[in-house]
Amino acid sequence: MVCTGKFDLDGYLRRIGWEGEPRADPGTLRGVHLAHLRGIPFENLDALRRVAPSLELGDLVAKLVDGPRGGYCYEHNTLFAAALEASGFRVTRLAARVVVGADRVESRPRTHMALLVEVPGEPGPYLADVGFGAIGALLEPVPLVAGAEFEGAGRRHRLVTVEHPGPLELWVLQAYGEEKGGVASDGPWQAQYAFTLEPFEHADFEVVNWHIGTNPRSPFTQRLYVQSVNADRHLLLHGRTLTETRTDGAVRERELTDEGEARRLLEEEFGIVVPDGSALFG
């Protein structure tokens, strides 16, 4: 799906708090990427009700830009891609396999959306992703270069290629952190997701979005999952557990007591107003 002239780029930039003249250059790409992550929370309130959220651009603007809500990967990256295209970038939608903790790449389906962004005048494309709901997520895009390490907004990442039986090169995004093992991990470098450069279309993500948003076996239909990021901390509410990870490495956890406390927390800390009729805890 390609952005049309109806997209309100100025309204989107106000929502994420990014000031400046958007241009198709690396500085704009990095700045808008980071501002989006800090400006719009990740959340699964629709899927928690077994409802697949709409991926139509007008609905995404109403929910994530105009409304006091966030979304999950398909919503975030579809909106972000529209903003990039309105700014003059060329964007390819990619489908990735989340492999955190997996023994094999093939054991996970392609359920994550990421973006390949071409910047005029740059020698190669960038991997961009504002919708990966994990502490190992990119905060800034990284060039599609195998083996090189990149630091963006305090997080370290690299891309590697791994052997697999398919005809296309398989890329793996790794984040630097505690050693947890899993596929394509190397010491403290933990694999996040794997992807090829095959383009995926809006119709493809409509299908996988319906699966993730409605399947009772989907992790997003089973328990609450909300996160936000700012310059000082990463805040995650998973079920009843609230985890705050500071940039200095300090971690604090506590359990929420009831729905009322959760609703207040979502509004005050995440900027999310819970829709009427939603049950946060099963």
Side-chain angles (χ1 to χ4, degrees), residues 98-156:
V98 178
V99 295
V100 176
D103 295 327
R104 298 182 303 112
V105 170
E106 297 80 6
S107 66
R108 300 283 178 82
R110 294 197 191 201
T111 58
H112 179 62
M113 181 182 187
L115 304 174
L116 192 70
V117 183
E118 296 178 40
V119 182
E122 289 291 292
Y126 287 73
L127 176 69
D129 187 355
V130 296
F132 191 51
I135 199 166
L138 293 172
L139 294 181
E140 295 183 358
V142 295
L144 192 75
V145 177
E149 296 182 17
F150 302 96
E151 182 169 345
R155 293 184 185 176
R156 292 169 60 187

Side-chain angles (χ1 to χ4, degrees), residues 5-184:
K6 296 180 181 179
F7 181 69
D8 181 8
L9 180 60
D10 290 339
Y12 165 81
L13 295 176
R14 285 194 299 271
R15 168 71 165 103
I16 64 174
W18 192 81
E19 298 179 354
E21 184 67 27
R23 299 181 177 89
D25 59 28
T28 295
L29 177 60
R30 287 191 297 268
V32 175
H33 192 287
L34 180 60
H36 181 118
L37 277 160
R38 290 177 173 173
I40 307 177
F42 183 101
E43 51 107 324
N44 69 327
L45 295 183
D46 288 343
L48 202 60
R49 298 184 294 124
R50 304 283 174 87
V51 173
S54 171
L55 300 185
E56 295 304 314
L57 188 55
D59 294 332
L60 292 175
V61 170
K63 180 183 176 185
L64 277 71
V65 176
D66 300 333
R69 293 287 304 277
Y72 58 16
C73 72
Y74 319 117
E75 299 172 275
H76 277 280
N77 280 323
T78 299
L79 179 66
F80 184 55
L84 292 180
E85 288 168 339
S87 301
F89 296 93
R90 182 176 177 182
V91 182
T92 300
R93 283 77 169 160
L94 306 176
R97 304 179 191 274
V98 178
V99 295
V100 176
D103 295 327
R104 298 182 303 112
V105 170
E106 297 80 6
S107 66
R108 300 283 178 82
R110 294 197 191 201
T111 58
H112 179 62
M113 181 182 187
L115 304 174
L116 192 70
V117 183
E118 296 178 40
V119 182
E122 289 291 292
Y126 287 73
L127 176 69
D129 187 355
V130 296
F132 191 51
I135 199 166
L138 293 172
L139 294 181
E140 295 183 358
V142 295
L144 192 75
V145 177
E149 296 182 17
F150 302 96
E151 182 169 345
R155 293 184 185 176
R156 292 169 60 187
H157 290 88
R158 71 180 183 185
L159 288 163
V160 299
T161 57
V162 298
E163 292 185 2
H164 76 122
L168 299 179
E169 197 166 37
L170 183 65
W171 294 82
V172 176
L173 175 70
Q174 296 180 332
Y176 190 88
E178 295 182 3
E179 183 175 356
K180 296 181 180 179
V183 65

